[in-house]
């Protein structure tokens, strides 16, 4: 069992000081066609798996990070099971923080280098039309680092919409109307690209001299 595995770890290895819960299973189907097995296969890794970690690991952790999904905030056709799991992780992060425990839910969108979107053609184009921005692996690692060093219960990474400047579906969603749309850099002029990066949030963060 999970508890016995933790006992073995405690006996043979140094104490567990942090958790990064990255479990994900997709069983996409529109709700009217979704079987209970489809539902459970997608929701259990994020709900039951995360709850097990929450219950079994004590209060001595330095960080407890859940790689959740923007789908839990935005919603996504044919993914009611997966989005429910993400919403649970978002709520659990707030619950843990309210109890004085570390907890961060990183709501991640589409990642270009690794993972499901990178290995399934056509998925990103659909997400891009919704308002997702393609994330690099380095950005995910930076987000995890920030979640460890300067935690916030819920962080959304990878939305690029708002302000009426985007033709994405989310640009018409009032929940995200306050967000500033960032037009992707194009063209081959390196100076132009450098200027664009320097003016972006990522550029400002990378040039910061401290964490504050």
């Amino acid at each position: 069992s999970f508890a016995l595995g933790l006992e073995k770890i405690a006996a043979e290895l140094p104490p567990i000081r942090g958790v990064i819960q990255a479990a994900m299973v997709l069983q996409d189907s529109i709700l009217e066609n979704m079987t209970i097995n489809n539902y459970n296969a997608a929701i259990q890794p994020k709900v039951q798996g995360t709850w097990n970690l929450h219950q079994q690991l004590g209060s001595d952790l330095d960080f407890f990070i859940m790689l959740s999904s923007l789908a839990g905030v935005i919603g996504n056709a044919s993914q009611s099971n997966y989005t429910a799991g993400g919403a649970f992780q978002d709520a659990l992060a707030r619950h843990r923080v309210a109890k004085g425990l570390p907890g961060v839910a990183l709501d991640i969108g589409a990642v270009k280098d690794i993972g499901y979107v990178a290995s399934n053609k056509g998925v990103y184009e659909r997400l891009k039309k919704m308002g997702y921005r393609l994330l690099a692996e380095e950005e995910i690692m930076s987000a995890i680092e920030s979640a460890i060093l300067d935690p916030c219960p819920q962080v959304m990474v990878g939305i690029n919409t708002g302000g009426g400047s985007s033709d994405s579906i989310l640009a018409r969603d009032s929940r995200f109307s306050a967000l500033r749309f960032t037009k992707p850099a194009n063209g081959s002029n390196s100076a132009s690209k450098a200027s664009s990066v320097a003016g972006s949030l990522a550029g400002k963060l990378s040039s910061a001299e401290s964490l504050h």
Side-chain angles (χ1 to χ4, degrees), residues 8-202:
K8 182 177 177 62
I9 290 172
E12 299 178 0
L13 297 171
I16 296 173
R17 302 302 300 172
V19 170
I20 299 177
Q21 156 66 317
M24 183 190 83
V25 172
L26 294 179
Q27 290 288 318
D28 295 356
S29 172
I30 58 174
L31 186 59
E32 63 184 16
N33 293 335
M34 186 178 293
T35 67
I36 189 63
N37 289 334
N38 292 148
Y39 183 80
N40 286 331
I43 200 171
Q44 285 183 346
K46 286 192 171 294
V47 174
Q48 191 60 56
T50 307
W51 187 251
N52 286 344
L53 293 169
H54 165 69
Q55 287 192 309
Q56 295 296 330
L57 296 174
S59 59
D60 296 330
L61 297 175
D62 293 328
F63 58 88
F64 190 102
I65 298 170
M66 295 162 280
L67 301 189
S68 188
S69 173
L70 286 176
V73 178
I74 296 169
N76 203 5
S78 78
Q79 288 190 326
S80 60
N81 45 9
Y82 180 63
T83 59
F88 171 83
Q89 290 182 317
D90 295 342
L92 181 61
R94 295 191 293 273
H95 172 72
R96 286 182 58 86
V97 171
K99 288 183 169 293
L101 301 172
V104 176
L106 286 179
D107 293 334
I108 296 170
V111 183
K112 67 180 179 180
D113 304 312
I114 55 174
Y116 179 80
V117 174
S119 58
N120 288 269
K121 294 182 178 179
V123 174
Y124 174 63
E125 287 304 317
R126 177 169 58 86
L127 295 177
K128 182 179 178 182
K129 291 179 181 178
M130 291 183 63
Y132 286 78
R133 182 176 71 80
L134 198 61
L135 297 165
E137 181 182 356
E138 292 81 3
E139 292 177 283
I140 302 302
M141 299 305 293
S142 294
I144 292 173
E145 180 181 13
S146 177
I148 294 172
L149 297 176
D150 190 18
C152 176
Q154 185 176 0
V155 180
M156 293 185 288
V157 185
I159 296 179
N160 193 21
T161 184
S165 300
S166 169
D167 60 357
S168 71
I169 295 172
L170 294 181
R172 300 187 293 274
D173 191 321
S174 59
R175 293 176 299 168
F176 308 104
S177 60
L179 298 180
R180 180 173 59 84
F181 174 68
T182 301
K183 186 176 181 180
N186 50 34
S188 58
N189 186 289
S190 59
S192 175
K193 288 183 178 181
S195 175
S196 175
V197 171
S200 68
L201 177 59

Side-chain angles (χ1 to χ4, degrees), residues 4 98 103 147 198:
L4 290 176

